[in-house]
Amino acid sequence: MANLNVYSALVVLFLTCGASMATKDNDQIIKENNCETKMGLPCVLEAFRSIFETGSISNKCCGELVGLGKVCHSALVKRTLENPLFKDLTPATIIAKSIQTWNNCLVLIDSPSPSA
Protein backbone atom coordinates (compact mmCIF):
# COMPACT_ATOMS: atom_id res chain seq x y z
CA MET A 1 0.00 0.00 0.00
CA ALA A 2 2.88 2.36 0.78
CA ASN A 3 4.28 1.75 -2.70
CA LEU A 4 0.98 2.83 -4.24
CA ASN A 5 1.00 6.04 -2.20
CA VAL A 6 4.58 6.81 -3.20
CA TYR A 7 3.79 6.02 -6.81
CA SER A 8 0.68 8.22 -6.71
CA ALA A 9 2.68 11.04 -5.17
CA LEU A 10 5.28 10.76 -7.95
CA VAL A 11 2.60 10.80 -10.64
CA VAL A 12 1.03 13.89 -9.15
CA LEU A 13 4.40 15.56 -8.71
CA PHE A 14 5.31 15.12 -12.33
CA LEU A 15 1.91 15.93 -13.74
CA THR A 16 1.35 19.00 -11.62
CA CYS A 17 4.80 20.33 -10.81
CA GLY A 18 6.52 19.25 -13.98
CA ALA A 19 9.92 17.92 -14.74
CA SER A 20 12.91 20.17 -14.47
CA MET A 21 13.91 19.24 -18.00
CA ALA A 22 10.58 20.21 -19.54
CA THR A 23 10.76 22.54 -22.50
CA LYS A 24 9.83 26.15 -22.06
CA ASP A 25 7.12 25.75 -24.67
CA ASN A 26 5.17 23.18 -22.68
CA ASP A 27 5.84 24.92 -19.37
CA GLN A 28 4.71 28.24 -20.84
CA ILE A 29 1.53 26.71 -22.25
CA ILE A 30 0.78 25.06 -18.91
CA LYS A 31 1.41 28.24 -16.94
CA GLU A 32 -0.49 30.57 -19.28
CA ASN A 33 -3.53 28.29 -19.32
CA ASN A 34 -3.50 27.42 -15.59
CA CYS A 35 -3.49 23.77 -16.65
CA GLU A 36 -2.34 22.46 -13.28
CA THR A 37 -5.46 23.65 -11.46
CA LYS A 38 -8.22 22.38 -13.74
CA MET A 39 -8.46 18.72 -12.67
CA GLY A 40 -8.88 17.09 -9.29
CA LEU A 41 -6.26 14.62 -8.07
CA PRO A 42 -8.41 11.46 -8.48
CA CYS A 43 -9.08 12.34 -12.12
CA VAL A 44 -5.44 13.26 -12.75
CA LEU A 45 -4.50 9.77 -11.56
CA GLU A 46 -7.21 8.11 -13.69
CA ALA A 47 -6.13 10.01 -16.78
CA PHE A 48 -2.48 9.18 -16.11
CA ARG A 49 -3.25 5.46 -15.76
CA SER A 50 -5.33 5.42 -18.94
CA ILE A 51 -2.50 7.02 -20.92
CA PHE A 52 0.75 5.82 -19.34
CA GLU A 53 -0.43 2.43 -18.08
CA THR A 54 -3.44 0.23 -18.67
CA GLY A 55 -6.60 1.62 -17.23
CA SER A 56 -9.88 3.27 -18.00
CA ILE A 57 -11.19 6.70 -17.28
CA SER A 58 -14.63 7.36 -15.78
CA ASN A 59 -17.27 9.61 -17.28
CA LYS A 60 -16.71 12.09 -14.45
CA CYS A 61 -12.99 12.26 -15.15
CA CYS A 62 -13.62 12.47 -18.89
CA GLY A 63 -15.64 15.58 -18.12
CA GLU A 64 -12.73 17.04 -16.17
CA LEU A 65 -10.27 16.07 -18.91
CA VAL A 66 -12.35 17.74 -21.60
CA GLY A 67 -12.77 20.74 -19.29
CA LEU A 68 -8.99 20.87 -19.02
CA GLY A 69 -8.84 21.42 -22.76
CA LYS A 70 -6.84 19.80 -25.54
CA VAL A 71 -4.00 22.33 -25.35
CA CYS A 72 -3.43 21.65 -21.64
CA HIS A 73 -3.89 17.91 -22.07
CA SER A 74 -1.28 17.72 -24.82
CA ALA A 75 1.20 19.97 -23.02
CA LEU A 76 0.95 17.97 -19.78
CA VAL A 77 1.42 14.64 -21.58
CA LYS A 78 4.41 15.97 -23.51
CA ARG A 79 5.97 17.44 -20.39
CA THR A 80 5.57 14.13 -18.57
CA LEU A 81 7.25 12.31 -21.47
CA GLU A 82 10.22 14.67 -21.20
CA ASN A 83 10.89 13.51 -17.66
CA PRO A 84 13.82 11.08 -17.38
CA LEU A 85 11.70 8.71 -15.26
CA PHE A 86 9.63 7.97 -18.36
CA LYS A 87 12.57 7.59 -20.79
CA ASP A 88 11.82 3.89 -21.37
CA LEU A 89 8.34 4.62 -22.73
CA THR A 90 7.78 4.91 -26.45
CA PRO A 91 6.59 8.49 -27.06
CA ALA A 92 4.61 7.57 -30.19
CA THR A 93 2.66 4.94 -28.23
CA ILE A 94 1.94 7.34 -25.37
CA ILE A 95 0.86 10.11 -27.73
CA ALA A 96 -1.43 7.64 -29.52
CA LYS A 97 -2.97 6.54 -26.19
CA SER A 98 -3.31 10.20 -25.20
CA ILE A 99 -5.20 11.00 -28.41
CA GLN A 100 -7.35 7.88 -28.00
CA THR A 101 -8.22 8.80 -24.40
CA TRP A 102 -9.04 12.37 -25.47
CA ASN A 103 -11.24 11.22 -28.38
CA ASN A 104 -13.03 8.62 -26.24
CA CYS A 105 -13.76 11.30 -23.64
CA LEU A 106 -15.08 13.68 -26.28
CA VAL A 107 -17.50 11.00 -27.49
CA LEU A 108 -18.66 10.30 -23.92
CA ILE A 109 -19.13 13.98 -23.13
CA ASP A 110 -20.76 14.90 -26.46
CA SER A 111 -23.18 11.97 -26.56
CA PRO A 112 -26.61 12.66 -25.09
CA SER A 113 -27.43 10.99 -21.81
CA PRO A 114 -30.19 8.39 -21.95
CA SER A 115 -33.28 9.81 -20.29
CA ALA A 116 -35.51 7.73 -18.11
Side-chain angles (χ1 to χ4, degrees):
M1 188 64 151
N3 286 341
L4 180 61
N5 290 338
V6 170
Y7 177 72
S8 296
L10 283 174
V11 168
V12 172
L13 175 67
F14 291 114
L15 286 179
T16 59
C17 299
S20 61
M21 297 182 68
T23 63
K24 277 188 175 180
D25 292 337
N26 288 326
D27 279 342
Q28 187 173 358
I29 290 167
I30 291 165
K31 184 177 180 181
E32 288 174 356
N33 292 286
N34 296 315
C35 298
E36 296 170 336
T37 63
K38 293 183 177 181
M39 283 182 77
L41 177 59
C43 288
V44 167
L45 294 173
E46 263 190 45
F48 180 89
R49 285 186 208 108
S50 74
I51 296 166
F52 289 89
E53 298 173 355
T54 303
S56 60
I57 185 167
S58 66
N59 289 2
K60 175 187 180 292
C61 292
C62 271
E64 287 192 29
L65 182 65
V66 171
L68 174 70
K70 183 146 179 93
V71 169
C72 284
H73 171 68
S74 295
L76 288 166
V77 169
K78 289 175 185 172
R79 184 173 72 179
T80 303
L81 280 171
E82 292 167 350
N83 187 291
L85 286 178
F86 299 100
K87 69 180 188 227
D88 293 334
L89 298 177
T90 307
T93 301
I94 298 302
I95 297 297
K97 286 179 76 176
S98 168
I99 292 168
Q100 181 181 21
T101 297
W102 176 262
N103 289 340
N104 289 346
C105 283
L106 279 180
V107 169
L108 280 174
I109 300 307
D110 288 342
S111 62
S113 304
S115 52

